[in-house]
Amino acid sequence: MIPLPTTRVRRRRLAVAAAAAGLLATLLAAGPATATPDPGDAPIQGKVSSEQAAAARTLTNSGEIPGVDEVVHSDNIQHLVNIPKEALPGTNSDLAFQGKYAFSGNYDGFRIFDISNPRAPKTVAQVLCPGSQNDISVSGNLLFLSTDSSRSDNSCASTTQPATEKSSWEGIKVFDISDKRNPKYVASVETACGSHTHTLVPEGRNVYVYVSSYSPNTTFPDCQPPHDGISVIKVPRYAPQKAAIVNFPVLFPGEGPDGGGNPGSPTNPGVSKTTGCHDITVLPSKDLAAGACMGDGILFDIRDPERPKVIDQVQDNVNFAFWHSATFNQSANKVVFTDELGGGGAATCNAAVGPDRGADGIYDIVGKGSKRKLVFRSYYKIDRHQADTENCVAHNGSLIPVKGRDIMVQAWYQGGVSVWEFTNSSKPREIAYFERGPISTDQLVTGGSWSAYYYNGYIYSNDMAKGFDVLKLDDRRTDAAKRVRMHELNVQTQPDYFDRGWDD
């Protein structure tokens, strides 16, 4: 833990940035592995024009955007603490929670924090297990990691190996975390095209895992097109070594080698071709799931978790480039989808890109049963323009459980953390924010908040480069959420907060 830098509490002016010469569409990728953490997993750098660099320096010098690494926030948020990366120097990724613990994914493995005192988190364990992007979740005594980089084998000592080799491995790893100080690797399941993200559907003695992966190639033996579905893994809680794939439901049926998802460019210029899903959020209490699937958003029925069925499928071929993630509201009559324009490695929070691209899309769910439809209402994007040296786009967030209102907290990479309300689907608005200034004003260095989630009264953010942040939100609109306590939270396995009681 290090002392917090001096912060300024101020309402940022909307910066008028110079038009970007072009987006950097760099995707995060794991680098070469050795017995030590992968050196290639550090935040990547990208060139910007001399004009863009000069504009970034002008904006920071004028105070229109924060200075390099300067922390700013709205007056209703406190920055309590930052915990820098230590033994795992790779890119920080997703978060999960259980009891007094937070679990932090990292391209080099995962870290467990004791957050019983949120103002002073303590490291309990750091586990070296390289393999991007190490998307993480927990259920009972089991922890799950996604490996979406081609490895020499399924061990935590594996090295990178081309996906064209049949012996290469990607998929899900399972750890026993009954002893938080000494997690034990107990099982793995190889899945087609790896596991970019995964979603848990807990059910009694078993945990079902929906594995999202994409980008097949005819030269990859274990990742063949059309790859138009998801892998479903069944994991017995008390015998995780028996974990196995039980189904590969096709979500985008269609004729030909590409299936029935969005064809992408050139039919729909600038839109990703659908070759699988990026992320899925389930709402087990309603037997619903929402899939963010590259060029498509889908709503599906999971009453039979082994055989999910699509209810509705939507596209936005004007403003959405890459359907990235999904969040239900508490009443299950809305879904917020995110568009990860530029793959998370580009500067898209500027005047050149505008307010409707790289944004959230808010959809109402109308109708009943198998007749339900997703109906677009509006976009939401932070209006705090960032420098062209800052990667910024809509990313992972969670609901803040306030009865009768739809409020969520969300990560925007170097755009920071935004708390916003969408109770009125057509008029979303920001109510709080936290952010750092650019990592650099000379070049684009990827960083910023990957995930920002609300858990038991606090906001936790996993910054790709800077580490683990804890924030405290004090606002009359969200104060009621402080009374809601969860034992376990995997944001993509969305709880029904109403079932857990409200102290009104």
Side-chain angles (χ1 to χ4, degrees):
M1 184 168 61
I2 60 174
L4 293 178
T6 300
T7 64
R8 280 192 285 165
V9 181
R10 61 178 172 85
R11 181 62 61 183
R12 279 189 52 190
R13 297 191 301 275
L14 182 64
V16 182
L23 295 177
L24 298 176
T26 307
L27 295 175
L28 297 174
T34 64
T36 58
D38 288 359
D41 285 347
I44 57 177
Q45 298 181 347
K47 293 181 179 179
V48 296
S49 69
S50 58
E51 292 81 7
Q52 288 173 307
R57 288 191 293 272
T58 297
L59 291 170
T60 57
N61 291 338
S62 69
E64 288 191 85
I65 68 172
V68 172
D69 285 341
E70 180 187 9
V71 171
V72 298
H73 54 83
S74 55
D75 58 8
N76 53 357
I77 276 187
Q78 301 175 60
H79 184 205
L80 300 182
V81 69
N82 170 259
I83 310 295
K85 294 186 288 186
E86 294 177 355
L88 304 175
T91 299
N92 274 343
S93 58
D94 210 4
L95 293 168
F97 304 90
Q98 185 182 84
K100 66 177 184 178
Y101 299 102
F103 302 81
S104 167
N106 179 286
Y107 276 41
D108 288 323
F110 64 94
R111 188 173 181 178
I112 303 177
F113 293 99
D114 181 335
I115 55 172
S116 52
N117 179 359
R119 296 176 181 270
K122 297 178 181 179
T123 298
V124 174
Q126 298 191 71
V127 177
L128 176 63
C129 196
S132 71
Q133 56 185 9
N134 277 342
D135 188 50
I136 193 168
S137 59
V138 294
S139 184
N141 288 330
L142 300 179
L143 179 148
F144 301 83
L145 280 184
S146 282
T147 299
D148 192 33
S149 58
S150 186
R151 314 296 297 182
S152 56
D153 55 52
N154 65 351
S155 75
C156 285
S158 67
T159 58
T160 57
Q161 183 170 289
T164 53
E165 295 187 23
K166 176 63 178 173
S167 63
S168 296
W169 185 91
E170 300 179 65
I172 288 286
K173 296 176 178 135
V174 186
F175 290 77
D176 184 325
I177 54 168
S178 52
D179 180 355
K180 301 295 188 295
R181 297 184 178 277
N182 185 31
K184 296 180 179 179
Y185 184 13
V186 295
S188 69
V189 179
E190 185 173 15
T191 55
C193 302
S195 175
H196 193 71
T197 65
H198 67 268
T199 304
L200 304 186
V201 186
E203 198 177 71
R205 298 177 66 86
N206 301 302
V207 180
Y208 288 96
V209 185
Y210 290 171
V211 175
S212 296
S213 57
Y214 52 92
S215 295
N217 191 300
T218 56
T219 66
F220 298 164
D222 299 318
C223 182
Q224 292 286 302
H227 191 70
D228 48 10
I230 58 173
S231 298
V232 179
I233 299 173
K234 183 178 181 180
V235 184
R237 289 188 184 276
Y238 304 107
Q241 69 277 8
K242 295 181 180 180
I245 295 173
V246 293
N247 197 13
F248 186 87
V250 173
L251 303 178
F252 303 98
E255 300 294 332
D258 297 327
N262 198 316
S265 297
T267 303
N268 297 314
V271 177
S272 296
K273 177 182 177 180
T274 298
T275 58
C277 289
H278 178 276
D279 209 348
I280 292 169
T281 293
V282 297
L283 192 58
S285 63
K286 304 292 185 183
D287 292 323
L288 278 178
C293 302
M294 303 180 74
D296 294 86
I298 59 174
L299 184 70
F300 51 105
D301 185 320
I302 59 168
R303 280 177 292 181
D304 181 348
E306 291 190 21
R307 299 170 182 83
K309 296 180 179 180
V310 174
I311 298 172
D312 194 26
Q313 175 183 353
V314 292
Q315 298 177 356
D316 179 347
N317 295 319
V318 176
N319 288 313
F320 259 50
F322 188 90
W323 295 67
H324 175 275
S325 53
T327 303
F328 288 98
N329 71 335
Q330 296 170 59
S331 300
N333 58 11
K334 300 174 189 175
V335 181
V336 174
F337 289 103
T338 66
D339 172 23
E340 195 186 37
L341 174 67
T348 75
C349 296
N350 51 36
V353 175
D356 297 339
R357 301 177 64 225
D360 296 318
I362 304 166
Y363 286 74
D364 284 352
I365 302 173
V366 300
K368 296 182 179 180
S370 61
K371 303 295 184 181
R372 283 172 285 192
K373 298 291 183 183
L374 293 165
V375 179
F376 174 76
R377 294 303 185 202
S378 66
Y379 297 108
Y380 170 75
K381 188 174 182 179
I382 59 172
D383 64 1
R384 292 167 283 108
H385 284 172
Q386 310 295 308
D388 289 340
T389 58
E390 295 181 273
N391 61 305
C392 175
V393 75
H395 213 238
N396 292 352
S398 76
L399 287 185
I400 297 179
V402 180
K403 193 173 184 180
R405 305 181 83 150
D406 298 326
I407 300 175
M408 68 180 290
V409 58
Q410 186 176 6
W412 288 79
Y413 289 119
Q414 286 193 68
V417 174
S418 176
V419 178
W420 61 286
E421 181 169 4
F422 59 104
T423 305
N424 183 336
S425 303
S426 300
K427 293 183 178 180
R429 57 175 181 161
E430 183 173 77
I431 62 177
Y433 71 88
F434 163 87
E435 68 168 289
R436 290 182 171 90
I439 295 174
S440 170
T441 54
D442 297 319
Q443 56 188 336
L444 192 151
V445 180
T446 59
S449 179
W450 177 294
S451 298
Y453 298 147
Y454 185 92
Y455 178 69
N456 290 353
Y458 295 85
I459 293 170
Y460 297 90
S461 168
N462 221 16
D463 189 292
M464 297 163 66
K466 301 297 182 181
F468 183 72
D469 289 301
V470 185
L471 309 174
K472 182 70 178 296
L473 177 65
D474 289 302
D475 190 288
R476 59 177 178 76
R477 291 164 289 192
T478 60
D479 282 346
K482 297 176 183 178
R483 298 194 292 267
V484 179
R485 287 292 182 266
M486 307 294 298
H487 172 66
E488 192 170 87
L489 180 65
N490 301 293
V491 168
Q492 289 74 33
T493 306
Q494 207 168 304
D496 184 342
Y497 295 101
F498 293 100
D499 281 350
R500 299 177 184 274
W502 293 83
D503 180 11
D504 291 329

